[in-house]
Amino acid sequence: MKRWEKTVQDNYGTPSLELVSGKGSIVRDSNGVTYLDFLAGIATNILGHAHPAIVKSVSKQIATLGHVSNFYAHPNVLELAQKLQKMTGDSSARTFFCNSGAEANEAALKLSRKTGKDRIVATQEAFHGRTMGALSLTGQPSKRNPFKPLIKGIKHVPFGDSSAMRRAINKKTAMVIVEPIMGEAGVIVPPDDYLKNLRQYCDENGALLVFDCVQTGMGRTGDWFGYEYSGIRPDVITLAKGLGGGLPIGAMIAMGSASQLFAAGDHGSTFGGNPIATAAALAVISSIEKEKTLQKVDELGILLRTELALIPGVSEVRGAGLLIGLTLDKPVAKELVKKCQELGALINAPSASVIRLAPALNISTAQVKKFIGIFRQALQEVSHV
Ligand SMILES: *Cc1c(COP(=O)(O)O)cnc(C)c1O
């Protein structure tokens, strides 16, 4: 950790562990200690560590063709774009590939400017990334304030509040961006009719509806995309995190008239849609299909949420599929993260009394049960200090 402090920027603080290997939902640190991974690289290693299909697909690709730039097509980018189009259920869907969630949202922001309008509505506490455009969409003052001035014309309204949205959206609105479930904010689920209402307000005002599915996409909630339960479709979907199963890849998928807004020369990325990153994404999608992972996500999510709700010291459990947030009776989340680590499980605390869990989607029932035991013991120990 001394080496980290001497050579790596301090923007993350100093990590508490150095991880060296992993298999499925188990990771091993540089002292040989193993942990159950209930954070999965921040909801990213959707099929765990070293999944054989990803290893095979990526290894084969790097030995065949590593990078070509978007001056040229290659088989993987074509196949992945086609797969994503199919997953949206909309044959007009066209994808722009990039390398991260922030970049996917940057692309959506630029796309919205092509409508000829420039007002945007986003939500308070939402997280859309850290680059200047994505940060302007992000609704967390602690992340925004040091970097002002940000992009103008973006209004942030309370998340889940349909009438606040109705008041904020008007004919000047170019786009509305929301997370179907807010992830970084602590796994906040909106009321049932919220997304549907947004669709209606956007349609009435000719605004693009963008769902940031960077965290809730790729099966995390039990569906391909976190909004599917609502029965409506957005104009734009942004993806990253789980898409590459651990390799950096992002996507901005636009549908309907939004799919026609970008013209040649409007946007680009040197690495976007790279053969290796797309090989990983193709392996992720085909493994989820082959292993029928989405069905298991619901089952495991219910088991986890039901058991966690019974633990003394847990006041609320929420989320969908394997994206789970819990509120603790006492503000001991940071201590709980530390204690769980000592007892052999990695979890995350978005705030002083909130815990977020986002294990790999193919975690076993036995591993889920083992985790619940660790979590119960850890919470009991930190609550009595
Ligand atoms: C993580 C996240 C982002 C940013 O993704 P990066 O790859 O870190 O740039 C954007 N939106 C949501 C909802 C996220 O969870």
Side-chain angles (χ1 to χ4, degrees):
M1 297 314 160
K2 284 234 167 63
R3 277 165 72 204
W4 176 286
E5 285 169 5
K6 280 193 177 145
T7 55
V8 180
Q9 294 262 332
D10 198 31
N11 55 304
Y12 299 109
T14 306
S16 58
L17 282 181
E18 182 187 11
L19 300 177
V20 295
S21 65
K23 186 83 194 139
S25 286
I26 307 281
V27 282
R28 187 182 298 270
D29 73 12
S30 47
N31 296 319
V33 180
T34 58
Y35 305 86
L36 269 172
D37 187 359
F38 266 67
L39 186 55
I42 319 186
T44 290
N45 305 317
I46 210 138
L47 297 177
H49 299 274
H51 189 281
I54 300 177
V55 172
K56 190 173 160 204
S57 178
V58 166
S59 309
K60 193 171 155 222
Q61 188 58 51
I62 188 127
T64 308
L65 185 68
H67 179 73
V68 297
S69 89
N70 289 290
F71 282 125
Y72 308 100
H74 58 85
N76 290 354
V77 77
L78 296 170
E79 193 181 337
L80 183 57
Q82 206 164 28
K83 279 266 183 200
L84 291 172
Q85 186 183 69
K86 213 165 167 194
M87 284 154 61
T88 65
D90 188 327
S91 61
S92 72
R94 293 169 78 184
T95 298
F96 165 78
F97 288 106
C98 52
N99 316 287
S100 69
E103 282 177 66
N105 289 326
E106 290 285 341
L109 178 58
K110 283 183 73 177
L111 188 82
S112 80
R113 290 282 159 100
K114 299 280 304 193
T115 62
K117 302 194 276 184
D118 62 8
R119 302 282 175 88
I120 292 170
V121 184
T123 59
Q124 292 167 10
E125 301 310 319
F127 185 74
H128 298 298
R130 305 278 206 151
T131 53
M132 289 303 268
L135 183 61
S136 303
L137 301 171
T138 291
Q140 301 180 13
S142 64
K143 296 188 171 73
R144 297 165 57 86
N145 288 345
F147 301 102
K148 285 179 173 174
L150 297 169
I151 291 177
K152 293 200 177 62
I154 302 175
K155 189 176 172 64
H156 290 90
V157 298
F159 181 76
D161 182 342
S162 287
S163 45
M165 269 291 184
R166 162 156 259 165
R167 287 193 298 274
I169 301 168
N170 57 45
K171 299 278 185 207
K172 290 182 177 166
T173 307
M175 82 176 204
V176 173
I177 183 165
V178 296
E179 296 172 72
I181 293 174
M182 286 205 294
E184 302 300 307
V187 189
I188 313 295
V189 183
D192 279 345
D193 56 356
Y194 185 59
L195 301 182
K196 217 179 205 164
N197 289 342
L198 299 189
R199 179 71 276 172
Q200 186 198 323
Y201 308 152
C202 285
D203 286 344
E204 287 166 0
N205 290 284
L208 296 180
L209 180 59
V210 182
F211 285 158
D212 176 347
C213 298
V214 168
Q215 188 154 161
T216 51
M218 299 311 292
R220 176 59 53 198
T221 64
D223 291 318
W224 280 122
F225 306 111
Y227 63 82
E228 286 181 42
Y229 74 90
S230 69
I232 59 104
R233 259 185 224 148
D235 302 296
V236 176
I237 301 165
T238 56
L239 287 178
K241 293 203 166 89
L243 178 58
L247 268 84
I249 180 169
M252 189 275 292
I253 310 169
M255 295 172 275
S257 56
S259 70
Q260 307 296 318
L261 288 171
F262 271 159
D266 277 341
H267 196 40
S269 163
T270 300
F271 284 118
N274 165 287
I276 298 160
T278 48
L282 286 169
V284 166
I285 294 168
S286 65
S287 299
I288 288 176
E289 285 171 344
K290 228 180 282 163
E291 295 162 19
K292 303 201 186 318
T293 308
L294 297 188
Q295 279 109 298
K296 290 180 213 152
V297 167
D298 279 330
E299 245 170 73
L300 286 172
I302 289 168
L303 170 68
L304 197 48
R305 275 176 281 154
T306 311
E307 292 290 326
L308 289 168
L310 298 172
I311 296 176
V314 173
S315 48
E316 192 196 350
V317 181
R318 51 184 184 264
L322 285 172
L323 181 60
I324 296 175
L326 16 91
T327 302
L328 308 172
D329 290 340
K330 295 184 192 166
V332 292
K334 301 277 183 252
E335 294 85 339
L336 184 57
V337 169
K338 218 172 144 208
K339 183 59 75 177
C340 276
Q341 190 172 306
E342 277 170 37
L343 297 177
L346 303 183
I347 61 171
N348 164 251
S351 69
S353 47
V354 175
I355 294 292
R356 172 178 51 171
L357 307 175
L361 306 186
N362 58 358
I363 192 165
S364 72
T365 307
Q367 286 169 327
V368 166
K369 287 184 175 158
K370 185 172 173 204
F371 170 77
I372 290 162
I374 291 174
F375 189 88
R376 181 186 291 113
Q377 188 191 338
L379 186 51
Q380 189 181 9
E381 287 185 26
V382 298
S383 298
H384 289 180
V385 194

